[in-house]
Amino acid sequence: MFSWMGKENAQGQHDVLQTVTGGLQSLYTRKLLPLEEHYRFHEFHSPALEEADFKNLPMVLLVGQYSTGKTTFIRYLLEQDFPGMRIGPEPTTDSFIAVMYGEQEGSIPGNALVVDPKKPFRKLNSFGNAFLNRFICSQLPNEVLRSISIIDSPGILSGEKQRISRGYDFCQVLQWFAERVDRIILLFDAHKLDISDEFSEAIKAFRGQDDKIRVVLNKADQVDTQQLMRVYGALMWSLGKVINTPEVVRVYIGSFWSKPLQNTENRKLFEMEAQDLFRDIQSLPRNAALRKLNDLIKRARLAKVHAYIISYLKKEMPAVFGKDTKKKELIQRLPEIYIQIQREHQISPGDFPDVKKMQQQLEMYDFSKFYAMKPKLIEAVDNMLANKIAPLMSMIREEESSMPTQMVHGGAFEGTMEGPFGQGYGEGAGEGAEDEEWVVAKDKPVYDELFYTLSPINGKISGVNAKKEMVNSKLPNSVLGKIWKLADNDKDGMLDDEEFALAKHLIKIKIDGYELPNDLPLHLVPPSQRKPSHNAE
């Protein structure tokens, strides 16, 4: 049954993507692609998008130094091995492995992969054989892969090893993937927090994709609580030097493998963090179409800026003599040119490409062969951004609302949804749900002693007297008000001994860090107020 529902849901997600991405692809081809081709955008920034780029499933890219558990993390999610998988303490994954759904289990080598029009990897052909020999697609019929694809990257080296050339531009490949994936997960080992030069360069390759980045502090069960606090602080300090954003990046703490925990004192923390990470990954199919739209908008803004830069350089070039001298001068003045274009066209500085990288690329070009400004191409993109995007966004929302909640199913995700090991099961407000005895009863004698010190009249205490005791919890009034509403089950503005005990139980739930229910669950209703059940004769 679960497998059938997973297939139905995956098909629904696929249909939504097909409808919306068809519109996206049409917009790109008619409005943006002509501008990109005219100003040689693909040579400077990113290859042209193809049909597979719009129609592929959401992708998750895993990046980290060797032996941080990237491959083990994938196996943990899938709950099975995949072709090409190797796990060990030394750098075992020396290739980029695209783990994708396939009816038959097997591997597709890189050179064959980049000629397949149904896969979104054709433009990786430009990185040459040195890369393609280190790129494979691992296919298997796994339920998780019906909704997402996972890209495993080579372990990033440290020390002397990082000086060994890979034979291809590793950071450029990472940047290519970063522009196309839905989530980038950086993995760190609790025992190995140093960010090597190669890792630092890799993270910098994700510039402009900060909203996609999540961090996992893996193997956290191998240290105790005090050490874990220090490790977390050291990681945040290291990341702050590399990821230059004012917002603090989200770090998930845990041990993402199927072996017993070495240190169980933080078990609850690890479970909560794993659930948060799973929810983040599970949301990817639902947000896939919106992410593609967002990436198209970012691409359009960069393409416009690129067109302004190229046409400016063309305009400044002399007709006949002194071309080389002028070219050197313009490259040197590029930071000033950026500022001038920003002011002239009211463009945000964040939309401009990295100035140093742009200067290096411009060295290879003859500026006199660039094209001058063609306003109609710019107007077409402006029209797309101003008038075509909003209807498409409305279509995405309508498609999403008409579909059931789209989630990743199968593998490790299946164990998080149902049964006694789901998050919160038997905890907080859910405690005692399966017990015959009222869960509050075990602490009621203690609560009764307090109750009778609050001057009950006819077996009930007033709201004023209840407040005197409840505020001792130091919970804010907004929370205590909700607790009062739940505890005063008969809505008479007073609490009897059972209702007071319930209020104290709810206070304890909140202080222990659990959320309060919006409505009082049946198992928490005081026994004297429960309606008798009548069995049909």
Side-chain angles (χ1 to χ4, degrees), residues 41-256:
F41 177 85
H42 307 138
E43 298 174 32
F44 283 84
H45 301 290
S46 180
L49 299 178
E50 297 186 329
E51 183 178 359
D53 291 308
F54 291 96
K55 295 187 176 180
N56 66 299
L57 290 175
M59 293 193 289
V60 178
L61 173 64
L62 299 182
V63 181
Q65 295 180 179
Y66 71 91
S67 193
T68 51
K70 296 188 301 300
T71 307
T72 305
F73 181 83
I74 298 174
R75 196 202 178 287
Y76 175 77
L77 293 184
L78 303 182
E79 292 189 339
Q80 72 174 94
D81 294 346
F82 55 90
M85 185 187 87
R86 288 176 59 220
I87 296 172
E90 77 284 1
T92 49
T93 303
D94 63 349
S95 303
F96 280 86
I97 303 177
V99 187
M100 308 180 80
Y101 184 83
E103 293 295 339
Q104 300 295 325
E105 187 171 315
S107 297
I108 304 173
N111 280 289
L113 192 58
V114 295
V115 297
D116 185 350
K118 294 182 180 179
K119 295 284 192 297
F121 305 122
R122 279 161 54 94
K123 297 298 182 180
L124 283 168
N125 188 54
S126 61
F127 291 102
N129 275 332
F131 166 72
L132 296 177
N133 291 334
R134 291 283 180 267
F135 180 42
I136 62 170
C137 176
S138 178
Q139 291 188 313
L140 64 159
N142 185 283
E143 196 66 34
V144 173
L145 300 175
R146 287 184 181 273
S147 303
I148 59 172
S149 300
I150 306 172
I151 312 296
D152 191 11
S153 63
I156 293 175
L157 306 174
S158 59
E160 289 297 321
K161 292 176 183 175
Q162 66 185 307
R163 295 188 177 89
I164 301 171
S165 173
R166 295 181 185 270
Y168 60 90
D169 194 326
F170 180 65
C171 290
Q172 280 288 97
V173 174
L174 285 179
Q175 185 178 347
W176 188 94
F177 276 111
E179 291 171 355
R180 287 158 178 80
V181 301
D182 297 70
R183 188 67 76 235
I184 302 166
I185 297 180
L186 305 179
L187 275 95
F188 289 85
D189 185 331
H191 286 105
K192 192 163 55 182
L193 290 180
D194 61 306
I195 298 180
S196 68
D197 292 344
E198 189 178 41
F199 199 8
S200 179
E201 290 301 314
I203 294 173
K204 288 174 184 175
F206 301 143
R207 180 179 179 267
Q209 311 294 337
D210 306 309
D211 58 318
K212 299 179 181 179
I213 296 176
R214 303 290 185 271
V215 175
V216 169
L217 178 56
N218 202 13
K219 306 183 183 181
D221 67 318
Q222 297 179 11
V223 295
D224 60 32
T225 303
Q226 188 178 22
Q227 290 172 318
L228 185 58
M229 289 173 62
R230 291 173 181 162
V231 166
Y232 180 80
L235 175 60
M236 296 305 290
W237 181 80
S238 298
L239 287 172
K241 294 196 301 180
V242 182
I243 301 177
N244 297 315
T245 57
E247 299 85 8
V248 177
V249 66
R250 177 64 165 98
V251 177
Y252 298 91
I253 303 171
S255 289
F256 296 93

Side-chain angles (χ1 to χ4, degrees), residues 486-506:
L486 292 168
D488 183 18
N489 196 51
D490 58 8
K491 310 303 178 195
D492 65 351
M494 306 181 77
L495 300 181
D496 62 20
D497 61 318
E498 288 184 337
E499 290 174 330
F500 177 76
L502 174 59
K504 293 292 289 182
H505 181 73
L506 293 171

